[in-house]
């Protein structure tokens, strides 16, 4: 599916077709998670506050233990 980036008032945004909204089970006013993959692509998914909290914890842990994780990756 190809989407055009458009000017919306003083902002820039995407207008999601109703078919995509139905597939993602989204309604106006709800939130999306945007996840960047290792290959540079992005993934859109419905917002899950539990997942968001887990990701924040994981990001803090990765930052705190960056050196140890780099050694383990060798």
């Amino acid at each position: 599916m190809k989407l055009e980036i458009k000017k919306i008032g003083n902002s820039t945004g995407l207008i999601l077709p109703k078919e995509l909204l139905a597939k993602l089970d989204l309604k106006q006013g709800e939130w999306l998670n945007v996840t960047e993959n290792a290959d540079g692509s992005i993934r859109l998914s419905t917002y899950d506050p539990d997942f968001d909290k887990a990701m924040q914890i994981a990001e803090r842990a990765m930052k705190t233990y960056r050196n140890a994780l780099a050694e383990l990756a060798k």
Side-chain angles (χ1 to χ4, degrees):
M1 180 178 296
K2 185 166 89 171
L3 301 176
E4 179 183 1
I5 298 172
K6 297 184 177 194
K7 183 170 176 55
I8 302 172
N10 290 329
S11 299
T12 302
L14 294 171
I15 297 175
L16 303 177
K18 62 182 174 183
E19 297 84 14
L20 182 56
L21 292 173
K23 184 173 185 169
L24 292 171
D25 193 27
L26 288 171
K27 293 166 187 57
Q28 188 172 355
E30 293 183 327
W31 293 85
L32 277 177
N33 264 342
V34 179
T35 307
E36 184 178 355
N37 298 319
D39 64 359
S41 63
I42 61 168
R43 177 178 177 236
L44 299 177
S45 58
T46 53
Y47 177 74
D48 178 356
D50 293 333
F51 177 78
D52 192 47
K53 185 175 180 180
M55 288 305 295
Q56 289 175 4
I57 292 168
E59 287 171 357
R60 279 197 308 268
M62 286 186 287
K63 186 176 181 181
T64 301
Y65 299 108
R66 181 182 58 214
N67 293 337
L69 292 170
E71 288 297 315
L72 289 170
K74 291 181 181 178

